[in-house]
Amino acid sequence: MRSDGPMKFGEYRIGQKGPLKVEVSPLQISCTKGSTVFIALDGGLNPKGRHRYMEGPKHTKVRYQIYLNGHSRLAWNELHQVKYVARTVAFTPIKFYGEVPGKQTPLAGHYHDTLVATVNF
C-alpha cells in the first residue's frame, strides 16, 4: 500500500453552514491477482467517540470524517472496512470520501491528522 500524498479538504470558511466535501484516491494498493483483502482505518491522532478531529493552531480541533462512498454515511474505520479484490498486481487507487461538517468555528490556520491503514489478508 502506498499514498500519493495527504488528503486535502481545501478552504473551510469559519462557521460555514454546509459541509466541505471531497472525493479522493490518495491510497493505492498492490496485491497478488485474485487476492481478497480488507482495509481498515484507525481513528487518527485525535479521536473522540466515533468522530475524527484534525488539530490546528493552539490545539484547536476541527471535526471530519472519511466515508466508504459518497452516498452513505458509513464511516471508514476499523469496524467498516474496504473490501478489495485484486484484478491485477498493478497499484490500484482506493477511492474514498471526506467531509468536514459545517457550523464549526475553529481558529484560522492549517489543520492536520494522521491515520493508519491496516490491510488484512
Side-chain angles (χ1 to χ4, degrees), residues 36-50:
T36 299
V37 300
F38 294 88
I39 308 165
L41 288 181
D42 72 358
L45 298 176
N46 308 290
K48 188 172 186 180
R50 58 188 174 98

PDB file of all heavy atoms in Angstrom, residues 36-50:
ATOM      1  N   THR A  36      -8.101 -11.345  -1.929  1.00  0.00           N
ATOM      2  CA  THR A  36      -9.120 -10.509  -1.301  1.00  0.00           C
ATOM      3  C   THR A  36      -8.543  -9.978  -0.004  1.00  0.00           C
ATOM      4  O   THR A  36      -8.031 -10.746   0.813  1.00  0.00           O
ATOM      5  CB  THR A  36     -10.401 -11.311  -1.004  1.00  0.00           C
ATOM      6  OG1 THR A  36     -10.925 -11.800  -2.238  1.00  0.00           O
ATOM      7  CG2 THR A  36     -11.437 -10.441  -0.319  1.00  0.00           C
ATOM      8  N   VAL A  37      -8.590  -8.665   0.178  1.00  0.00           N
ATOM      9  CA  VAL A  37      -8.088  -8.044   1.399  1.00  0.00           C
ATOM     10  C   VAL A  37      -9.135  -7.087   1.947  1.00  0.00           C
ATOM     11  O   VAL A  37     -10.025  -6.639   1.223  1.00  0.00           O
ATOM     12  CB  VAL A  37      -6.749  -7.298   1.177  1.00  0.00           C
ATOM     13  CG1 VAL A  37      -5.674  -8.233   0.697  1.00  0.00           C
ATOM     14  CG2 VAL A  37      -6.910  -6.135   0.215  1.00  0.00           C
ATOM     15  N   PHE A  38      -9.000  -6.772   3.215  1.00  0.00           N
ATOM     16  CA  PHE A  38      -9.865  -5.800   3.878  1.00  0.00           C
ATOM     17  C   PHE A  38      -8.964  -4.704   4.436  1.00  0.00           C
ATOM     18  O   PHE A  38      -7.951  -5.000   5.084  1.00  0.00           O
ATOM     19  CB  PHE A  38     -10.676  -6.468   4.991  1.00  0.00           C
ATOM     20  CG  PHE A  38     -11.663  -7.461   4.459  1.00  0.00           C
ATOM     21  CD1 PHE A  38     -11.296  -8.783   4.260  1.00  0.00           C
ATOM     22  CD2 PHE A  38     -12.943  -7.063   4.132  1.00  0.00           C
ATOM     23  CE1 PHE A  38     -12.192  -9.706   3.749  1.00  0.00           C
ATOM     24  CE2 PHE A  38     -13.856  -7.980   3.620  1.00  0.00           C
ATOM     25  CZ  PHE A  38     -13.474  -9.298   3.426  1.00  0.00           C
ATOM     26  N   ILE A  39      -9.335  -3.454   4.182  1.00  0.00           N
ATOM     27  CA  ILE A  39      -8.519  -2.311   4.596  1.00  0.00           C
ATOM     28  C   ILE A  39      -9.284  -1.520   5.652  1.00  0.00           C
ATOM     29  O   ILE A  39     -10.408  -1.072   5.404  1.00  0.00           O
ATOM     30  CB  ILE A  39      -8.177  -1.406   3.402  1.00  0.00           C
ATOM     31  CG1 ILE A  39      -7.562  -2.235   2.266  1.00  0.00           C
ATOM     32  CG2 ILE A  39      -7.248  -0.285   3.836  1.00  0.00           C
ATOM     33  CD1 ILE A  39      -7.523  -1.503   0.943  1.00  0.00           C
ATOM     34  N   ALA A  40      -8.670  -1.370   6.822  1.00  0.00           N
ATOM     35  CA  ALA A  40      -9.272  -0.622   7.930  1.00  0.00           C
ATOM     36  C   ALA A  40      -8.503   0.675   8.142  1.00  0.00           C
ATOM     37  O   ALA A  40      -7.302   0.752   7.861  1.00  0.00           O
ATOM     38  CB  ALA A  40      -9.216  -1.456   9.207  1.00  0.00           C
ATOM     39  N   LEU A  41      -9.197   1.700   8.636  1.00  0.00           N
ATOM     40  CA  LEU A  41      -8.558   2.950   9.044  1.00  0.00           C
ATOM     41  C   LEU A  41      -8.789   3.152  10.528  1.00  0.00           C
ATOM     42  O   LEU A  41      -9.897   2.918  11.023  1.00  0.00           O
ATOM     43  CB  LEU A  41      -9.159   4.156   8.298  1.00  0.00           C
ATOM     44  CG  LEU A  41      -8.830   4.334   6.840  1.00  0.00           C
ATOM     45  CD1 LEU A  41      -9.503   5.603   6.305  1.00  0.00           C
ATOM     46  CD2 LEU A  41      -7.333   4.395   6.605  1.00  0.00           C
ATOM     47  N   ASP A  42      -7.759   3.618  11.235  1.00  0.00           N
ATOM     48  CA  ASP A  42      -7.938   3.900  12.650  1.00  0.00           C
ATOM     49  C   ASP A  42      -8.614   5.261  12.828  1.00  0.00           C
ATOM     50  O   ASP A  42      -8.978   5.926  11.855  1.00  0.00           O
ATOM     51  CB  ASP A  42      -6.621   3.792  13.411  1.00  0.00           C
ATOM     52  CG  ASP A  42      -5.649   4.928  13.143  1.00  0.00           C
ATOM     53  OD1 ASP A  42      -5.944   5.825  12.323  1.00  0.00           O
ATOM     54  OD2 ASP A  42      -4.575   4.937  13.771  1.00  0.00           O
ATOM     55  N   GLY A  43      -8.767   5.679  14.060  1.00  0.00           N
ATOM     56  CA  GLY A  43      -9.447   6.939  14.375  1.00  0.00           C
ATOM     57  C   GLY A  43      -8.580   8.168  14.273  1.00  0.00           C
ATOM     58  O   GLY A  43      -9.042   9.274  14.538  1.00  0.00           O
ATOM     59  N   GLY A  44      -7.324   8.007  13.901  1.00  0.00           N
ATOM     60  CA  GLY A  44      -6.424   9.149  13.802  1.00  0.00           C
ATOM     61  C   GLY A  44      -5.792   9.493  15.141  1.00  0.00           C
ATOM     62  O   GLY A  44      -5.939   8.762  16.118  1.00  0.00           O
ATOM     63  N   LEU A  45      -5.109  10.622  15.179  1.00  0.00           N
ATOM     64  CA  LEU A  45      -4.395  11.037  16.389  1.00  0.00           C
ATOM     65  C   LEU A  45      -5.302  11.691  17.424  1.00  0.00           C
ATOM     66  O   LEU A  45      -4.926  11.817  18.583  1.00  0.00           O
ATOM     67  CB  LEU A  45      -3.278  12.023  16.017  1.00  0.00           C
ATOM     68  CG  LEU A  45      -2.189  11.489  15.093  1.00  0.00           C
ATOM     69  CD1 LEU A  45      -1.215  12.614  14.733  1.00  0.00           C
ATOM     70  CD2 LEU A  45      -1.463  10.325  15.743  1.00  0.00           C
ATOM     71  N   ASN A  46      -6.503  12.138  16.998  1.00  0.00           N
ATOM     72  CA  ASN A  46      -7.377  12.900  17.890  1.00  0.00           C
ATOM     73  C   ASN A  46      -8.804  12.364  17.907  1.00  0.00           C
ATOM     74  O   ASN A  46      -9.756  13.126  17.808  1.00  0.00           O
ATOM     75  CB  ASN A  46      -7.411  14.369  17.429  1.00  0.00           C
ATOM     76  CG  ASN A  46      -6.032  14.952  17.272  1.00  0.00           C
ATOM     77  OD1 ASN A  46      -5.345  15.165  18.248  1.00  0.00           O
ATOM     78  ND2 ASN A  46      -5.615  15.177  16.038  1.00  0.00           N
ATOM     79  N   PRO A  47      -8.999  11.048  18.053  1.00  0.00           N
ATOM     80  CA  PRO A  47     -10.372  10.537  18.020  1.00  0.00           C
ATOM     81  C   PRO A  47     -11.135  10.911  19.283  1.00  0.00           C
ATOM     82  O   PRO A  47     -10.554  11.085  20.353  1.00  0.00           O
ATOM     83  CB  PRO A  47     -10.181   9.028  17.931  1.00  0.00           C
ATOM     84  CG  PRO A  47      -8.898   8.782  18.645  1.00  0.00           C
ATOM     85  CD  PRO A  47      -8.036   9.983  18.315  1.00  0.00           C
ATOM     86  N   LYS A  48     -12.422  11.063  19.109  1.00  0.00           N
ATOM     87  CA  LYS A  48     -13.293  11.313  20.262  1.00  0.00           C
ATOM     88  C   LYS A  48     -14.615  10.615  19.953  1.00  0.00           C
ATOM     89  O   LYS A  48     -15.357  11.063  19.082  1.00  0.00           O
ATOM     90  CB  LYS A  48     -13.504  12.807  20.474  1.00  0.00           C
ATOM     91  CG  LYS A  48     -14.218  13.139  21.748  1.00  0.00           C
ATOM     92  CD  LYS A  48     -14.214  14.629  22.001  1.00  0.00           C
ATOM     93  CE  LYS A  48     -14.796  14.927  23.362  1.00  0.00           C
ATOM     94  NZ  LYS A  48     -14.808  16.363  23.622  1.00  0.00           N
ATOM     95  N   GLY A  49     -14.841   9.495  20.627  1.00  0.00           N
ATOM     96  CA  GLY A  49     -16.017   8.700  20.313  1.00  0.00           C
ATOM     97  C   GLY A  49     -15.897   8.157  18.903  1.00  0.00           C
ATOM     98  O   GLY A  49     -14.879   7.604  18.523  1.00  0.00           O
ATOM     99  N   ARG A  50     -16.923   8.359  18.093  1.00  0.00           N
ATOM    100  CA  ARG A  50     -16.904   7.871  16.716  1.00  0.00           C
ATOM    101  C   ARG A  50     -16.463   8.944  15.726  1.00  0.00           C
ATOM    102  O   ARG A  50     -16.553   8.755  14.517  1.00  0.00           O
ATOM    103  CB  ARG A  50     -18.265   7.311  16.334  1.00  0.00           C
ATOM    104  CG  ARG A  50     -19.386   8.301  16.464  1.00  0.00           C
ATOM    105  CD  ARG A  50     -20.738   7.609  16.256  1.00  0.00           C
ATOM    106  NE  ARG A  50     -21.803   8.552  16.523  1.00  0.00           N
ATOM    107  CZ  ARG A  50     -22.448   9.223  15.585  1.00  0.00           C
ATOM    108  NH1 ARG A  50     -22.143   9.056  14.321  1.00  0.00           N
ATOM    109  NH2 ARG A  50     -23.406  10.052  15.905  1.00  0.00           N
TER     110      ARG A  50
END
